[in-house]
Structure formats: C-alpha cells, structure tokens
Amino acid sequence: MRTCLLIVFLILCGCNSHPEDPVVIQGMTMGTNYSITLGIQSELSIEEIQGEIDTLLESINQQMSTYIEDSELSIINQSNSHEWLEISPELFKVISSALEISQLTGGAFDITVGNLVNLWGFGPDDTHSIMPDDESIESAMRASGYLNIELQTQPYAIKKLNSDIYLDLSGIAKGYAVDRVSEYLDEKYLSSYLVDIGGEIRTKGEKRNEQPWRIGIEKPLAKTREVLRIVTLVNEAMATSGDYRNFFVKNGIHYSHTIDPRTGYPIRYNLLSITVLDQSAMVADALATALLVMGPEGSITFAENNEIPAYLIYSDGNLMIERFTSQFIPHINE
Ligand code: ADP
Ligand code: MG
C-alpha cells in the first residue's frame, strides 16, 4: 500500500499575493514534485530558467535513475563485468559521496541495497506486499555491501567486485539534484532562492522582505495540517526521511521502504521522521536515510557524536516525542 505524504513542508510566506511576492517555478522530477522559489528578480525570463532546470533534471535522471532502463546507472546494474566501467563525473561524484557516507555510518546508508529494495517490492517493478522468503533475502544480502564496489579517477570508472551488485541512488539523488539546481541558480547570480525536490530543500539568502527562509514541519500522522516546528535555514540544506511515506502493511506489520542493509529487512522502528541539516542537500539526504536505519537511540547518539544538526520525531504508545541534537536547536524558530 502506498501512502500519501504525511510529512509536508510549508514554505511560509505572506498570505496576500503582491507583485513583490517570490516567483515560484514548479514541475515534476524523479517521481515527485519540485518547486523553486526565487526571492529576487532575474534578468532571465522564468520560462528560460524553468527550461534550463528541466533539462538539467532530465539529464541527472538519465544518469542516476533505476526507473529508466537505459540510464547510465541501469546499464551498470545490467552489466555482468568485473572490469572497470567508465562513468560520468556526475555519477562518480554521487557514488563516491555515497561510499564516504557508508563508511561514516557503518553501512547504515548503502547504495548497494538495490537487490534488497527490489526484493521487498520498493524498486522500479513496484511489487510490494509480496513477502520475500528467507532464502531470497539471504541471496540478496550476498549480492550487496558497499565494499563490493570500487571507484577510480582518470578516467572516472567503477568496478563491481560482485557482478550481481545492484546500485540504488534513490536515497541520495534527489539531494544531489537540489545541489545542482542551486549551483545553476548561483551561476545565474540569483542570490535568493529556496529549492525543494520532494522535501529535500536548500536555501540561499533571504526572502524579498529580508526575512530568512522558514520551513514548517507538520505534525506527522496528524489528520489536521498542524505545523509542529518552524525551522530557519540560512544558506543551507535540509532533508527529511519519513517512515510514513512509502510502506506496505501485511498481517498488521508495517514494512518501510528503508532497508537496514545489515539485516536485509525493512526497518521496524517507531520513528516517524528525521530531519537533517547540512551545507549540501546530497549529504543531508543520505544522512537522513542513515539515521532512520539507526533508530531513535542510535541516531541521536551518532548525530551528537558527529555534530550533525538532527531532529527526530518518534512515537511511544500514544505519545509523540521530539528529540533534537544541540546543533539543531539554534535553527528552531518556535
Ligand atoms: P525518504 O522517502 O524516507 O526521504 P529517501 O527517498 O531519501 O527516503 O530514500 C529512500 C530510498 O532509498 C528507498 O526507496 C530505497 O530505494 C533506498 N534505500 C532504502 N534503504 C536504504 C539504505 N539503507 N541506504 C541507502 N538507500 C536506501
Ligand atoms: Mg535520503
């Protein structure tokens, strides 16, 4: 069963429309919505900016999507070769960052979970609600593990030490795309913006009224759209991973689309949402997924030890509990 978004971000701006209101560009990419809010006028027309951003996003998708059969990533996934396979600098950057985050998080974030993601029905074939048997989980586990891939530069290339490895960049590519769109806006000298792709956000500068960008985080699970916290972002990125966005229920058990690479099973925590801040949306995106895997206790300890601004919401019976790391507290607006 797919659920709709229960964690929604509000871009808080004035209620009455005014010629000086921010300009919003919206569209679809990577199976989700994107929206770009510009706080200042541009020399370029909005149509021109949107056209260039759409082209950029399409090219990222053509490199990194497992949903596109002839994407650069899919071709690597289909290859049985143990030799070096040349890759684009963009794919190199995302895969090498993903490997660094795997190392940092002790494998909680791992892009080689692809076979497990597909087995549990959260991949391109979308078969969820079919329970895999233990044998298939074990065999998918054998064809996973970030130590099974190697990278090299000059030329940029990847080697699969186990040719069955299947890479899945869904936990990091949206964040990477947010960074690329932000860099594009920087190149166009647009010094005030908020970029949002499916809840992964990055901001620069201030809004037109010289107010910082503020993001509302709604109460997860609430039927009413109640803002729980307002987070202020100044030239930084924010990512949220939520267990309630994409899951299925079988025999009363909730199976998340986030897989614990160390067990091969979907995570089974009472964590409702995790929000992470970083300079890079790509890093924030991957860290949010990693913290979700670590669970309520492990994630907060890890984030404190590594000075990561993180905010989590989990349920304890009927109670909803919030926890922040000390680095997150200065960002809370109210
Ligand atoms: P959320 O929707 O919770 O924000 P993301 O979209 O960032 O999560 O990433 C979830 C996707 O990442 C999954 O659908 C799956 O394709 C992939 N994935 C699942 N578990 C992991 C993991 N442990 N490490 C890396 N990627 C994962
Ligand atoms: Mg993620």
Side-chain angles (χ1 to χ4, degrees), residues 1-6 120-122 126-129 221 242-250 252-259 266-268 271-272:
M1 185 182 81
R2 250 172 209 279
T3 56
C4 57
L5 285 182
L6 284 173
W120 283 98
F122 292 108
D126 218 345
T127 53
H128 36 297
S129 84
L221 287 185
D243 196 12
Y244 280 80
R245 293 184 187 188
N246 189 354
F247 65 90
F248 70 85
V249 177
K250 187 102 180 174
I253 298 176
H254 174 119
Y255 293 93
S256 162
H257 72 140
T258 301
I259 309 287
I267 54 160
R268 291 284 309 279
L271 259 175
L272 305 176

PDB file of all heavy atoms in Angstrom, residues 1-6 120-122 126-129 221 242-250 252-259 266-268 271-272:
ATOM      1  N   MET A   1       0.840  -1.199   0.000  1.00  0.00           N
ATOM      2  CA  MET A   1       0.000   0.000   0.000  1.00  0.00           C
ATOM      3  C   MET A   1       0.874   1.248   0.000  1.00  0.00           C
ATOM      4  O   MET A   1       1.799   1.352   0.768  1.00  0.00           O
ATOM      5  CB  MET A   1      -0.865  -0.011   1.266  1.00  0.00           C
ATOM      6  CG  MET A   1      -1.850   1.104   1.329  1.00  0.00           C
ATOM      7  SD  MET A   1      -2.786   1.062   2.867  1.00  0.00           S
ATOM      8  CE  MET A   1      -1.660   1.823   3.998  1.00  0.00           C
ATOM      9  N   ARG A   2       0.597   2.143  -0.871  1.00  0.00           N
ATOM     10  CA  ARG A   2       1.339   3.393  -0.883  1.00  0.00           C
ATOM     11  C   ARG A   2       0.561   4.429  -0.090  1.00  0.00           C
ATOM     12  O   ARG A   2      -0.658   4.477  -0.154  1.00  0.00           O
ATOM     13  CB  ARG A   2       1.474   3.907  -2.319  1.00  0.00           C
ATOM     14  CG  ARG A   2       2.889   3.807  -2.799  1.00  0.00           C
ATOM     15  CD  ARG A   2       2.962   4.140  -4.256  1.00  0.00           C
ATOM     16  NE  ARG A   2       4.074   3.420  -4.832  1.00  0.00           N
ATOM     17  CZ  ARG A   2       5.329   3.825  -4.741  1.00  0.00           C
ATOM     18  NH1 ARG A   2       5.629   4.942  -4.111  1.00  0.00           N
ATOM     19  NH2 ARG A   2       6.297   3.129  -5.269  1.00  0.00           N
ATOM     20  N   THR A   3       1.238   5.230   0.648  1.00  0.00           N
ATOM     21  CA  THR A   3       0.533   6.279   1.379  1.00  0.00           C
ATOM     22  C   THR A   3       0.851   7.616   0.746  1.00  0.00           C
ATOM     23  O   THR A   3       1.806   7.739   0.006  1.00  0.00           O
ATOM     24  CB  THR A   3       1.030   6.366   2.831  1.00  0.00           C
ATOM     25  OG1 THR A   3       2.422   6.560   2.792  1.00  0.00           O
ATOM     26  CG2 THR A   3       0.671   5.145   3.609  1.00  0.00           C
ATOM     27  N   CYS A   4       0.031   8.580   1.063  1.00  0.00           N
ATOM     28  CA  CYS A   4       0.354   9.908   0.571  1.00  0.00           C
ATOM     29  C   CYS A   4       1.347  10.531   1.556  1.00  0.00           C
ATOM     30  O   CYS A   4       1.651   9.963   2.591  1.00  0.00           O
ATOM     31  CB  CYS A   4      -0.901  10.755   0.472  1.00  0.00           C
ATOM     32  SG  CYS A   4      -1.728  10.860   2.023  1.00  0.00           S
ATOM     33  N   LEU A   5       1.834  11.667   1.230  1.00  0.00           N
ATOM     34  CA  LEU A   5       2.796  12.324   2.105  1.00  0.00           C
ATOM     35  C   LEU A   5       2.131  12.739   3.394  1.00  0.00           C
ATOM     36  O   LEU A   5       1.135  13.434   3.380  1.00  0.00           O
ATOM     37  CB  LEU A   5       3.336  13.591   1.438  1.00  0.00           C
ATOM     38  CG  LEU A   5       4.345  13.389   0.327  1.00  0.00           C
ATOM     39  CD1 LEU A   5       4.798  14.734  -0.179  1.00  0.00           C
ATOM     40  CD2 LEU A   5       5.527  12.612   0.853  1.00  0.00           C
ATOM     41  N   LEU A   6       2.676  12.281   4.499  1.00  0.00           N
ATOM     42  CA  LEU A   6       2.126  12.721   5.775  1.00  0.00           C
ATOM     43  C   LEU A   6       2.989  13.803   6.396  1.00  0.00           C
ATOM     44  O   LEU A   6       2.594  14.459   7.327  1.00  0.00           O
ATOM     45  CB  LEU A   6       1.996  11.540   6.725  1.00  0.00           C
ATOM     46  CG  LEU A   6       0.805  10.648   6.399  1.00  0.00           C
ATOM     47  CD1 LEU A   6       0.817   9.407   7.246  1.00  0.00           C
ATOM     48  CD2 LEU A   6      -0.502  11.389   6.563  1.00  0.00           C
ATOM     49  N   TRP A 120      12.021  -6.512  -1.799  1.00  0.00           N
ATOM     50  CA  TRP A 120      10.912  -6.121  -0.916  1.00  0.00           C
ATOM     51  C   TRP A 120       9.844  -5.332  -1.675  1.00  0.00           C
ATOM     52  O   TRP A 120       8.862  -4.872  -1.087  1.00  0.00           O
ATOM     53  CB  TRP A 120      11.443  -5.306   0.276  1.00  0.00           C
ATOM     54  CG  TRP A 120      12.086  -6.179   1.318  1.00  0.00           C
ATOM     55  CD1 TRP A 120      13.421  -6.427   1.460  1.00  0.00           C
ATOM     56  CD2 TRP A 120      11.434  -6.922   2.349  1.00  0.00           C
ATOM     57  NE1 TRP A 120      13.635  -7.281   2.513  1.00  0.00           N
ATOM     58  CE2 TRP A 120      12.438  -7.603   3.084  1.00  0.00           C
ATOM     59  CE3 TRP A 120      10.098  -7.101   2.733  1.00  0.00           C
ATOM     60  CZ2 TRP A 120      12.146  -8.432   4.169  1.00  0.00           C
ATOM     61  CZ3 TRP A 120       9.819  -7.918   3.816  1.00  0.00           C
ATOM     62  CH2 TRP A 120      10.828  -8.580   4.521  1.00  0.00           C
ATOM     63  N   GLY A 121      10.045  -5.166  -2.979  1.00  0.00           N
ATOM     64  CA  GLY A 121       8.995  -4.556  -3.809  1.00  0.00           C
ATOM     65  C   GLY A 121       8.986  -3.048  -3.812  1.00  0.00           C
ATOM     66  O   GLY A 121       7.978  -2.433  -4.154  1.00  0.00           O
ATOM     67  N   PHE A 122      10.095  -2.412  -3.456  1.00  0.00           N
ATOM     68  CA  PHE A 122      10.126  -0.947  -3.462  1.00  0.00           C
ATOM     69  C   PHE A 122      10.960  -0.400  -4.616  1.00  0.00           C
ATOM     70  O   PHE A 122      11.312   0.768  -4.621  1.00  0.00           O
ATOM     71  CB  PHE A 122      10.665  -0.425  -2.124  1.00  0.00           C
ATOM     72  CG  PHE A 122       9.733  -0.698  -0.977  1.00  0.00           C
ATOM     73  CD1 PHE A 122      10.039  -1.650  -0.020  1.00  0.00           C
ATOM     74  CD2 PHE A 122       8.537  -0.014  -0.865  1.00  0.00           C
ATOM     75  CE1 PHE A 122       9.183  -1.906   1.039  1.00  0.00           C
ATOM     76  CE2 PHE A 122       7.666  -0.264   0.190  1.00  0.00           C
ATOM     77  CZ  PHE A 122       7.991  -1.220   1.142  1.00  0.00           C
ATOM     78  N   ASP A 126       7.852  -2.339  -8.430  1.00  0.00           N
ATOM     79  CA  ASP A 126       6.754  -1.980  -7.556  1.00  0.00           C
ATOM     80  C   ASP A 126       5.825  -3.131  -7.177  1.00  0.00           C
ATOM     81  O   ASP A 126       4.615  -3.064  -7.376  1.00  0.00           O
ATOM     82  CB  ASP A 126       5.923  -0.903  -8.284  1.00  0.00           C
ATOM     83  CG  ASP A 126       5.428   0.140  -7.310  1.00  0.00           C
ATOM     84  OD1 ASP A 126       5.482  -0.128  -6.110  1.00  0.00           O
ATOM     85  OD2 ASP A 126       4.986   1.211  -7.769  1.00  0.00           O
ATOM     86  N   THR A 127       6.411  -4.191  -6.633  1.00  0.00           N
ATOM     87  CA  THR A 127       5.596  -5.376  -6.322  1.00  0.00           C
ATOM     88  C   THR A 127       5.230  -5.465  -4.852  1.00  0.00           C
ATOM     89  O   THR A 127       4.920  -6.530  -4.360  1.00  0.00           O
ATOM     90  CB  THR A 127       6.401  -6.650  -6.649  1.00  0.00           C
ATOM     91  OG1 THR A 127       7.653  -6.539  -5.967  1.00  0.00           O
ATOM     92  CG2 THR A 127       6.605  -6.846  -8.125  1.00  0.00           C
ATOM     93  N   HIS A 128       5.350  -4.346  -4.083  1.00  0.00           N
ATOM     94  CA  HIS A 128       5.259  -4.557  -2.647  1.00  0.00           C
ATOM     95  C   HIS A 128       3.948  -5.192  -2.204  1.00  0.00           C
ATOM     96  O   HIS A 128       2.951  -5.128  -2.883  1.00  0.00           O
ATOM     97  CB  HIS A 128       5.602  -3.355  -1.778  1.00  0.00           C
ATOM     98  CG  HIS A 128       5.224  -2.023  -2.265  1.00  0.00           C
ATOM     99  ND1 HIS A 128       5.700  -1.470  -3.390  1.00  0.00           N
ATOM    100  CD2 HIS A 128       4.434  -1.109  -1.716  1.00  0.00           C
ATOM    101  CE1 HIS A 128       5.225  -0.263  -3.504  1.00  0.00           C
ATOM    102  NE2 HIS A 128       4.444  -0.015  -2.518  1.00  0.00           N
ATOM    103  N   SER A 129       4.105  -5.807  -1.031  1.00  0.00           N
ATOM    104  CA  SER A 129       3.104  -6.663  -0.377  1.00  0.00           C
ATOM    105  C   SER A 129       3.368  -8.128  -0.674  1.00  0.00           C
ATOM    106  O   SER A 129       2.717  -9.004  -0.133  1.00  0.00           O
ATOM    107  CB  SER A 129       1.650  -6.269  -0.663  1.00  0.00           C
ATOM    108  OG  SER A 129       1.212  -6.812  -1.856  1.00  0.00           O
ATOM    109  N   LEU A 221       1.517  12.123  11.066  1.00  0.00           N
ATOM    110  CA  LEU A 221       0.364  11.328  11.473  1.00  0.00           C
ATOM    111  C   LEU A 221      -0.883  12.140  11.826  1.00  0.00           C
ATOM    112  O   LEU A 221      -1.953  11.573  11.922  1.00  0.00           O
ATOM    113  CB  LEU A 221       0.680  10.445  12.694  1.00  0.00           C
ATOM    114  CG  LEU A 221       1.563   9.240  12.459  1.00  0.00           C
ATOM    115  CD1 LEU A 221       1.673   8.425  13.735  1.00  0.00           C
ATOM    116  CD2 LEU A 221       1.022   8.382  11.331  1.00  0.00           C
ATOM    117  N   GLY A 242      11.101   9.972   6.175  1.00  0.00           N
ATOM    118  CA  GLY A 242       9.944   9.602   6.979  1.00  0.00           C
ATOM    119  C   GLY A 242       9.548   8.180   6.683  1.00  0.00           C
ATOM    120  O   GLY A 242       9.572   7.742   5.540  1.00  0.00           O
ATOM    121  N   ASP A 243       9.209   7.479   7.737  1.00  0.00           N
ATOM    122  CA  ASP A 243       8.809   6.095   7.598  1.00  0.00           C
ATOM    123  C   ASP A 243       7.381   5.985   7.069  1.00  0.00           C
ATOM    124  O   ASP A 243       6.931   4.927   6.687  1.00  0.00           O
ATOM    125  CB  ASP A 243       8.907   5.473   9.003  1.00  0.00           C
ATOM    126  CG  ASP A 243       8.898   3.979   8.953  1.00  0.00           C
ATOM    127  OD1 ASP A 243       9.049   3.439   7.850  1.00  0.00           O
ATOM    128  OD2 ASP A 243       8.731   3.370  10.013  1.00  0.00           O
ATOM    129  N   TYR A 244       6.654   7.083   7.066  1.00  0.00           N
ATOM    130  CA  TYR A 244       5.239   7.003   6.721  1.00  0.00           C
ATOM    131  C   TYR A 244       4.931   7.449   5.310  1.00  0.00           C
ATOM    132  O   TYR A 244       3.793   7.679   4.951  1.00  0.00           O
ATOM    133  CB  TYR A 244       4.422   7.813   7.750  1.00  0.00           C
ATOM    134  CG  TYR A 244       4.245   6.978   8.971  1.00  0.00           C
ATOM    135  CD1 TYR A 244       5.276   6.875   9.897  1.00  0.00           C
ATOM    136  CD2 TYR A 244       3.106   6.212   9.146  1.00  0.00           C
ATOM    137  CE1 TYR A 244       5.151   6.042  10.987  1.00  0.00           C
ATOM    138  CE2 TYR A 244       2.974   5.385  10.231  1.00  0.00           C
ATOM    139  CZ  TYR A 244       3.993   5.305  11.152  1.00  0.00           C
ATOM    140  OH  TYR A 244       3.872   4.473  12.228  1.00  0.00           O
ATOM    141  N   ARG A 245       5.926   7.552   4.485  1.00  0.00           N
ATOM    142  CA  ARG A 245       5.677   7.996   3.120  1.00  0.00           C
ATOM    143  C   ARG A 245       5.434   6.824   2.193  1.00  0.00           C
ATOM    144  O   ARG A 245       4.596   6.881   1.322  1.00  0.00           O
ATOM    145  CB  ARG A 245       6.884   8.748   2.596  1.00  0.00           C
ATOM    146  CG  ARG A 245       7.124  10.037   3.279  1.00  0.00           C
ATOM    147  CD  ARG A 245       8.263  10.671   2.574  1.00  0.00           C
ATOM    148  NE  ARG A 245       8.683  11.860   3.271  1.00  0.00           N
ATOM    149  CZ  ARG A 245       9.561  12.685   2.766  1.00  0.00           C
ATOM    150  NH1 ARG A 245      10.077  12.451   1.584  1.00  0.00           N
ATOM    151  NH2 ARG A 245       9.912  13.748   3.428  1.00  0.00           N
ATOM    152  N   ASN A 246       6.225   5.796   2.338  1.00  0.00           N
ATOM    153  CA  ASN A 246       6.206   4.715   1.365  1.00  0.00           C
ATOM    154  C   ASN A 246       6.407   3.408   2.130  1.00  0.00           C
ATOM    155  O   ASN A 246       7.485   3.146   2.631  1.00  0.00           O
ATOM    156  CB  ASN A 246       7.352   4.960   0.384  1.00  0.00           C
ATOM    157  CG  ASN A 246       7.304   4.020  -0.802  1.00  0.00           C
ATOM    158  OD1 ASN A 246       6.476   3.106  -0.850  1.00  0.00           O
ATOM    159  ND2 ASN A 246       8.192   4.222  -1.751  1.00  0.00           N
ATOM    160  N   PHE A 247       5.352   2.624   2.243  1.00  0.00           N
ATOM    161  CA  PHE A 247       5.459   1.369   3.001  1.00  0.00           C
ATOM    162  C   PHE A 247       4.319   0.455   2.598  1.00  0.00           C
ATOM    163  O   PHE A 247       3.429   0.835   1.845  1.00  0.00           O
ATOM    164  CB  PHE A 247       5.400   1.650   4.511  1.00  0.00           C
ATOM    165  CG  PHE A 247       4.090   2.207   5.000  1.00  0.00           C
ATOM    166  CD1 PHE A 247       3.068   1.358   5.418  1.00  0.00           C
ATOM    167  CD2 PHE A 247       3.874   3.577   5.043  1.00  0.00           C
ATOM    168  CE1 PHE A 247       1.856   1.884   5.875  1.00  0.00           C
ATOM    169  CE2 PHE A 247       2.670   4.100   5.497  1.00  0.00           C
ATOM    170  CZ  PHE A 247       1.666   3.243   5.909  1.00  0.00           C
ATOM    171  N   PHE A 248       4.349  -0.777   3.062  1.00  0.00           N
ATOM    172  CA  PHE A 248       3.160  -1.616   2.925  1.00  0.00           C
ATOM    173  C   PHE A 248       2.884  -2.299   4.254  1.00  0.00           C
ATOM    174  O   PHE A 248       3.757  -2.380   5.114  1.00  0.00           O
ATOM    175  CB  PHE A 248       3.290  -2.629   1.776  1.00  0.00           C
ATOM    176  CG  PHE A 248       4.272  -3.733   1.983  1.00  0.00           C
ATOM    177  CD1 PHE A 248       3.934  -4.899   2.668  1.00  0.00           C
ATOM    178  CD2 PHE A 248       5.551  -3.635   1.446  1.00  0.00           C
ATOM    179  CE1 PHE A 248       4.852  -5.929   2.836  1.00  0.00           C
ATOM    180  CE2 PHE A 248       6.472  -4.666   1.604  1.00  0.00           C
ATOM    181  CZ  PHE A 248       6.116  -5.816   2.305  1.00  0.00           C
ATOM    182  N   VAL A 249       1.637  -2.743   4.427  1.00  0.00           N
ATOM    183  CA  VAL A 249       1.254  -3.412   5.673  1.00  0.00           C
ATOM    184  C   VAL A 249       0.816  -4.820   5.331  1.00  0.00           C
ATOM    185  O   VAL A 249       0.020  -5.027   4.419  1.00  0.00           O
ATOM    186  CB  VAL A 249       0.104  -2.648   6.375  1.00  0.00           C
ATOM    187  CG1 VAL A 249      -0.338  -3.397   7.636  1.00  0.00           C
ATOM    188  CG2 VAL A 249       0.526  -1.242   6.737  1.00  0.00           C
ATOM    189  N   LYS A 250       1.386  -5.798   5.996  1.00  0.00           N
ATOM    190  CA  LYS A 250       0.998  -7.194   5.781  1.00  0.00           C
ATOM    191  C   LYS A 250       0.818  -7.817   7.161  1.00  0.00           C
ATOM    192  O   LYS A 250       1.703  -7.694   8.007  1.00  0.00           O
ATOM    193  CB  LYS A 250       2.116  -7.896   5.000  1.00  0.00           C
ATOM    194  CG  LYS A 250       1.771  -9.278   4.572  1.00  0.00           C
ATOM    195  CD  LYS A 250       1.390  -9.279   3.106  1.00  0.00           C
ATOM    196  CE  LYS A 250       1.046 -10.674   2.655  1.00  0.00           C
ATOM    197  NZ  LYS A 250       0.552 -10.699   1.313  1.00  0.00           N
ATOM    198  N   GLY A 252      -0.787  -6.846   9.604  1.00  0.00           N
ATOM    199  CA  GLY A 252      -0.693  -5.827  10.653  1.00  0.00           C
ATOM    200  C   GLY A 252       0.713  -5.287  10.867  1.00  0.00           C
ATOM    201  O   GLY A 252       0.932  -4.444  11.724  1.00  0.00           O
ATOM    202  N   ILE A 253       1.685  -5.763  10.079  1.00  0.00           N
ATOM    203  CA  ILE A 253       3.061  -5.261  10.263  1.00  0.00           C
ATOM    204  C   ILE A 253       3.374  -4.245   9.172  1.00  0.00           C
ATOM    205  O   ILE A 253       3.027  -4.431   8.005  1.00  0.00           O
ATOM    206  CB  ILE A 253       4.090  -6.424  10.240  1.00  0.00           C
ATOM    207  CG1 ILE A 253       3.792  -7.382  11.391  1.00  0.00           C
ATOM    208  CG2 ILE A 253       5.515  -5.891  10.366  1.00  0.00           C
ATOM    209  CD1 ILE A 253       4.671  -8.604  11.425  1.00  0.00           C
ATOM    210  N   HIS A 254       4.054  -3.199   9.612  1.00  0.00           N
ATOM    211  CA  HIS A 254       4.363  -2.064   8.752  1.00  0.00           C
ATOM    212  C   HIS A 254       5.765  -2.269   8.158  1.00  0.00           C
ATOM    213  O   HIS A 254       6.727  -2.410   8.894  1.00  0.00           O
ATOM    214  CB  HIS A 254       4.318  -0.873   9.721  1.00  0.00           C
ATOM    215  CG  HIS A 254       4.734   0.410   9.173  1.00  0.00           C
ATOM    216  ND1 HIS A 254       3.901   1.487   9.117  1.00  0.00           N
ATOM    217  CD2 HIS A 254       5.921   0.818   8.675  1.00  0.00           C
ATOM    218  CE1 HIS A 254       4.558   2.506   8.615  1.00  0.00           C
ATOM    219  NE2 HIS A 254       5.777   2.131   8.336  1.00  0.00           N
ATOM    220  N   TYR A 255       5.848  -2.372   6.835  1.00  0.00           N
ATOM    221  CA  TYR A 255       7.155  -2.558   6.190  1.00  0.00           C
ATOM    222  C   TYR A 255       7.565  -1.291   5.461  1.00  0.00           C
ATOM    223  O   TYR A 255       6.898  -0.887   4.506  1.00  0.00           O
ATOM    224  CB  TYR A 255       7.103  -3.739   5.212  1.00  0.00           C
ATOM    225  CG  TYR A 255       6.917  -5.061   5.912  1.00  0.00           C
ATOM    226  CD1 TYR A 255       5.643  -5.592   6.099  1.00  0.00           C
ATOM    227  CD2 TYR A 255       8.010  -5.757   6.413  1.00  0.00           C
ATOM    228  CE1 TYR A 255       5.462  -6.796   6.758  1.00  0.00           C
ATOM    229  CE2 TYR A 255       7.843  -6.954   7.075  1.00  0.00           C
ATOM    230  CZ  TYR A 255       6.571  -7.468   7.247  1.00  0.00           C
ATOM    231  OH  TYR A 255       6.387  -8.651   7.911  1.00  0.00           O
ATOM    232  N   SER A 256       8.672  -0.707   5.920  1.00  0.00           N
ATOM    233  CA  SER A 256       9.145   0.566   5.365  1.00  0.00           C
ATOM    234  C   SER A 256       9.942   0.347   4.083  1.00  0.00           C
ATOM    235  O   SER A 256      10.488  -0.731   3.862  1.00  0.00           O
ATOM    236  CB  SER A 256      10.046   1.203   6.414  1.00  0.00           C
ATOM    237  OG  SER A 256      10.853   2.189   5.850  1.00  0.00           O
ATOM    238  N   HIS A 257      10.058   1.381   3.265  1.00  0.00           N
ATOM    239  CA  HIS A 257      10.908   1.288   2.057  1.00  0.00           C
ATOM    240  C   HIS A 257      12.376   1.539   2.383  1.00  0.00           C
ATOM    241  O   HIS A 257      13.228   1.488   1.504  1.00  0.00           O
ATOM    242  CB  HIS A 257      10.431   2.252   0.968  1.00  0.00           C
ATOM    243  CG  HIS A 257      10.699   3.694   1.243  1.00  0.00           C
ATOM    244  ND1 HIS A 257      11.118   4.575   0.269  1.00  0.00           N
ATOM    245  CD2 HIS A 257      10.613   4.415   2.372  1.00  0.00           C
ATOM    246  CE1 HIS A 257      11.275   5.768   0.808  1.00  0.00           C
ATOM    247  NE2 HIS A 257      10.956   5.699   2.071  1.00  0.00           N
ATOM    248  N   THR A 258      12.656   1.826   3.659  1.00  0.00           N
ATOM    249  CA  THR A 258      14.055   1.960   4.059  1.00  0.00           C
ATOM    250  C   THR A 258      14.511   0.611   4.606  1.00  0.00           C
ATOM    251  O   THR A 258      13.884   0.044   5.496  1.00  0.00           O
ATOM    252  CB  THR A 258      14.213   3.071   5.117  1.00  0.00           C
ATOM    253  OG1 THR A 258      13.726   4.275   4.526  1.00  0.00           O
ATOM    254  CG2 THR A 258      15.661   3.257   5.508  1.00  0.00           C
ATOM    255  N   ILE A 259      15.596   0.113   4.038  1.00  0.00           N
ATOM    256  CA  ILE A 259      16.073  -1.228   4.374  1.00  0.00           C
ATOM    257  C   ILE A 259      17.287  -1.101   5.285  1.00  0.00           C
ATOM    258  O   ILE A 259      18.146  -0.245   5.046  1.00  0.00           O
ATOM    259  CB  ILE A 259      16.514  -1.984   3.085  1.00  0.00           C
ATOM    260  CG1 ILE A 259      15.431  -1.944   1.994  1.00  0.00           C
ATOM    261  CG2 ILE A 259      16.971  -3.408   3.394  1.00  0.00           C
ATOM    262  CD1 ILE A 259      14.226  -2.800   2.235  1.00  0.00           C
ATOM    263  N   PRO A 266      13.341  -4.491   6.096  1.00  0.00           N
ATOM    264  CA  PRO A 266      12.926  -3.093   6.261  1.00  0.00           C
ATOM    265  C   PRO A 266      13.031  -2.700   7.729  1.00  0.00           C
ATOM    266  O   PRO A 266      12.848  -3.537   8.612  1.00  0.00           O
ATOM    267  CB  PRO A 266      11.461  -3.091   5.817  1.00  0.00           C
ATOM    268  CG  PRO A 266      11.318  -4.284   4.944  1.00  0.00           C
ATOM    269  CD  PRO A 266      12.275  -5.307   5.492  1.00  0.00           C
ATOM    270  N   ILE A 267      13.325  -1.447   7.995  1.00  0.00           N
ATOM    271  CA  ILE A 267      13.469  -1.008   9.380  1.00  0.00           C
ATOM    272  C   ILE A 267      12.126  -1.124  10.107  1.00  0.00           C
ATOM    273  O   ILE A 267      11.070  -0.968   9.511  1.00  0.00           O
ATOM    274  CB  ILE A 267      14.004   0.432   9.470  1.00  0.00           C
ATOM    275  CG1 ILE A 267      13.135   1.380   8.637  1.00  0.00           C
ATOM    276  CG2 ILE A 267      15.450   0.497   9.034  1.00  0.00           C
ATOM    277  CD1 ILE A 267      13.288   2.806   9.039  1.00  0.00           C
ATOM    278  N   ARG A 268      12.193  -1.404  11.398  1.00  0.00           N
ATOM    279  CA  ARG A 268      10.979  -1.650  12.179  1.00  0.00           C
ATOM    280  C   ARG A 268      10.925  -0.732  13.396  1.00  0.00           C
ATOM    281  O   ARG A 268      10.620  -1.172  14.474  1.00  0.00           O
ATOM    282  CB  ARG A 268      10.963  -3.111  12.645  1.00  0.00           C
ATOM    283  CG  ARG A 268      10.757  -4.132  11.554  1.00  0.00           C
ATOM    284  CD  ARG A 268       9.299  -4.176  11.114  1.00  0.00           C
ATOM    285  NE  ARG A 268       8.393  -4.328  12.251  1.00  0.00           N
ATOM    286  CZ  ARG A 268       8.124  -5.489  12.831  1.00  0.00           C
ATOM    287  NH1 ARG A 268       8.653  -6.594  12.395  1.00  0.00           N
ATOM    288  NH2 ARG A 268       7.297  -5.541  13.844  1.00  0.00           N
ATOM    289  N   LEU A 271      10.052   5.335  14.548  1.00  0.00           N
ATOM    290  CA  LEU A 271      10.486   6.677  14.149  1.00  0.00           C
ATOM    291  C   LEU A 271       9.536   7.223  13.096  1.00  0.00           C
ATOM    292  O   LEU A 271       9.280   6.562  12.092  1.00  0.00           O
ATOM    293  CB  LEU A 271      11.874   6.585  13.514  1.00  0.00           C
ATOM    294  CG  LEU A 271      13.048   6.960  14.372  1.00  0.00           C
ATOM    295  CD1 LEU A 271      14.345   6.708  13.632  1.00  0.00           C
ATOM    296  CD2 LEU A 271      12.960   8.428  14.748  1.00  0.00           C
ATOM    297  N   LEU A 272       9.021   8.400  13.311  1.00  0.00           N
ATOM    298  CA  LEU A 272       8.072   8.966  12.354  1.00  0.00           C
ATOM    299  C   LEU A 272       8.775   9.830  11.323  1.00  0.00           C
ATOM    300  O   LEU A 272       8.428   9.807  10.154  1.00  0.00           O
ATOM    301  CB  LEU A 272       7.003   9.786  13.081  1.00  0.00           C
ATOM    302  CG  LEU A 272       6.248   9.026  14.170  1.00  0.00           C
ATOM    303  CD1 LEU A 272       5.286   9.941  14.883  1.00  0.00           C
ATOM    304  CD2 LEU A 272       5.506   7.851  13.568  1.00  0.00           C
TER     305      LEU A 272
END
